[in-house]
Amino acid sequence: KIRIDDSSNELNTVLKKLKILIADDEKLVKVYLGIIFRDLNTEIIYANNGMEAIEKFRQNPDIDLILMGVKMPDMQTAFAEPNIRTEAIKSGANNYITKPIQKQKLLRIISNEFSRTKK
């Protein structure tokens, strides 16, 4: 397992130079996630709704990671609350994290996903 902290060389190796699309209709969430990634040498693209997220992805096919709110404007998300994680995974998401987002948990999930895909 990779130990996750702000100074972790392993974390920086896994996450460095990622191109991340952050799609959420809540400004505070976008600001918070931007702060989490700002020191990790990442490029961040923001979208305010689902349709904008699709357009940004089409314009940037080299995006490495998409962090998207489940209930996005302009997208019909039909996730039922009790089964939201299962439905997200069934819809194609690699993982799911609940709000409020805990920085260390988010970074651990991302690190594990990218470590797994590099094997």
Side-chain angles (χ1 to χ4, degrees):
K1 280 205 158 180
I2 296 175
R3 186 170 159 257
I4 305 297
D5 62 40
D6 291 343
S7 61
S8 170
N9 287 334
E10 294 92 352
L11 176 64
N12 288 329
T13 300
V14 171
L15 299 180
K16 76 176 185 177
K17 297 186 181 176
L18 288 181
K19 191 170 193 177
I20 302 172
L21 171 60
I22 297 174
D24 204 294
D25 59 323
E26 295 180 37
K27 183 177 181 178
L28 188 58
V29 171
K30 290 185 288 204
V31 169
Y32 176 66
L33 291 173
I35 290 169
I36 288 175
F37 294 113
R38 94 175 140 208
D39 294 330
L40 294 175
N41 195 24
T42 58
E43 180 182 346
I44 300 174
I45 300 167
Y46 295 96
N48 297 311
N49 58 55
M51 295 307 288
E52 187 178 337
I54 291 169
E55 185 58 32
K56 297 276 184 173
F57 183 73
R58 285 183 178 146
Q59 295 169 358
N60 299 276
D62 58 337
I63 288 174
D64 299 298
L65 174 67
I66 300 172
L67 299 173
M68 180 179 281
V70 173
K71 296 179 183 175
M72 293 288 290
D74 296 340
M75 299 294 282
Q76 295 299 322
T77 54
F79 298 126
E81 290 298 324
N83 299 318
I84 198 164
R85 184 182 198 291
T86 303
E87 291 298 317
I89 302 298
K90 247 174 40 178
S91 296
N94 289 48
N95 217 312
Y96 175 83
I97 188 170
T98 58
K99 293 177 186 174
I101 298 166
Q102 297 173 357
K103 176 183 177 180
Q104 298 304 327
K105 184 176 181 179
L106 174 64
L107 294 177
R108 183 174 48 254
I109 288 169
I110 294 169
S111 179
N112 288 341
E113 286 296 326
F114 279 91
S115 294
R116 186 171 48 144
T117 60
K118 289 183 179 183
K119 289 180 180 177

